[in-house]
Every structure is written in C-alpha cells, then in structure tokens.
Amino acid sequence: MPVLVITGTGTEVGKTVTTAAVAAAALAAGRSVAMLKAAQTGVRPDERGDADEVARLAGPLTAAETARFPEPLAPGTAARRAGMAPVHPQEVADRAAKLAAEHDLVLVEGAGGLLVRFDAAGGTLADVAGLLDAPVLVVASPGLGTLNTTELTARELRRRELVLAGVVIGSWPDSPDLAARCNVTDLSAVAEAPLLGAIPCGAGALSPGDFRGAAPGWLAPPLDGTWDAEAFRVRVAP
C-alpha cells in the first residue's frame, strides 16, 4: 500500500487528525511517510495548513501541498474566486507518484468529501485514486446521519471500481449517545468494509509526544495499529 487516499464523508469529520494518526502509526512501525494535501483551502500563504498539522502531530515526515487557495470553499470554487489556476487530478496523482518513489507510504488527503470538485471539468479526489490505483480510507463522523453519507461514499467508490480500504471514526466522543454506539456496528455494514479505528475526540489537542504514543492504539492492524474493532464494539454496545 505505497499510496493511501484519505477522504471524509464531509467537512469537519476529523480527516486531518486521522491522517496524522495513520502517519504516526506508520512511522512508529519504521516506515518512511509522506503526506500530500491535494488542495488546501481557507489558508493564507503565510499560515500553517493541514500538511503542517499532520507533520506536527505525527513526527518526521515529508509534508507537501499540490495547491493552496485562500477562501474556505471547495477547491474549484476557491480557485475561481481567487483568479488562480485550479488543481487537476493528474497533478495530484503525479505528485503522489513521485513521493511514492521515495517513501514507504504516501497519504493523500482530500478536501471535504470524495466528490468535492477540484476544477471546472469536475475532477475530484475519486479521480486521483483512480489514476493512482490506490485504496481509499473513509473518515466518518460517529453520530446520527453518518450511515447515509458513509454508504453514499462507499457506493460511489464501488461504482468507480475503487478499493475501499475501510472506515475510521474521526472523532469518537467521550460520552457517545445511542446512535453513535449503534453506528460502531452499522458503519461497517453500510460501507461493506471493515471499521479500522476510532480517533478520540480532542486527539488533535494532545501534545505531539502523547499523540504519537497513543495513535497506534486508535487504529487497526491494517493501519499499523493495535485497535480491536470487535472489542471496541463489545465495550460500547447499547
């Protein structure tokens, strides 16, 4: 798995912190890691972006962006409003392929969800995954409404004949409600893919040392972790 594409079921689902956890677990396993942000929006040239945050939390890795746009909008819209050239899926794929030649693992993080548009031609992160023939990890929210968005994302991946590596809950609450506890079982069922982890709410606020030490425990073995999905289900089952 030299390249893993990471998408979310929407915005603010914990995608960047999950990417950092996957990177930290891989680094702890002795792998060299690069993180590529396909399109960074809502950040000025002098501000830190998601790639910088992943590097801060996860440790020594290669952090890169394909493009950056100032307004917090879909990349295609942000590029148009800024009068800047949009990023195209082929550009992202080419950059990821170059990084893959020099690293054991390249994490390509999207902006928003799978079908958020990069350009006027309708290019998306799904196209990037197709060009790279790379598996896709889906980051989902834990609560009410997540089953619909997760299943829609999984169906689109299957329609495109892309590999869904699994689902990670991006921000597991300290006091999960009934919907969240039921979703631990139901998410893998609607996605038809394994549940590969649950990142605690507030994990991104941990010190880098604490984050790196804890990250493998939030992720299942396919992501270089020790998290046990079945044990987690038993513990939180309603």
Side-chain angles (χ1 to χ4, degrees), residues 10-229:
T11 58
E12 304 300 325
V13 295
K15 187 168 65 271
T16 297
V17 175
T18 298
T19 301
V22 174
L27 289 167
R31 305 168 74 186
S32 61
V33 179
M35 184 276 187
L36 175 63
K37 182 70 176 181
Q40 177 69 66
T41 64
V43 178
R44 297 192 305 268
D46 60 334
E47 291 183 311
R48 293 173 59 85
D50 291 342
D52 300 308
E53 179 65 3
V54 169
R56 182 186 74 83
L57 289 170
L61 53 75
T62 300
E65 296 173 356
T66 309
R68 173 179 287 214
F69 308 107
E71 294 182 315
L73 302 167
T77 305
R80 184 180 72 246
R81 284 179 51 83
M84 300 170 66
V87 64
H88 302 291
Q90 189 67 60
E91 294 176 62
V92 182
D94 289 346
R95 188 76 179 277
K98 290 179 181 178
L99 291 168
E102 302 169 350
H103 298 81
D104 298 323
L105 176 64
V106 178
L107 304 174
V108 179
E109 182 188 330
L114 182 69
L115 298 183
V116 169
R117 295 192 171 199
F118 289 170
D119 56 25
T124 67
L125 189 67
D127 296 311
V128 174
L131 289 166
L132 291 166
D133 194 23
V136 179
L137 182 68
V138 173
V139 181
S141 59
L144 200 63
T146 194
L147 298 180
N148 180 63
T149 53
T150 300
E151 184 166 0
L152 288 171
T153 302
R155 286 189 180 191
E156 180 62 15
L157 289 169
R158 288 195 296 272
R159 187 186 72 81
R160 291 172 177 254
E161 298 183 345
L162 297 173
V163 174
L164 172 53
V167 178
V168 171
I169 298 172
S171 184
W172 182 254
D174 293 333
S175 300
D177 61 14
L178 178 61
R181 288 182 287 128
C182 289
N183 287 342
V184 170
T185 296
D186 294 340
L187 275 169
S188 57
V190 300
E192 298 182 23
L195 189 63
L196 293 180
I199 312 300
C201 181
L206 295 173
S207 70
D210 288 343
F211 185 93
R212 296 166 196 174
W218 303 330
L219 300 167
L223 296 175
D224 295 308
T226 59
W227 184 81
D228 185 329

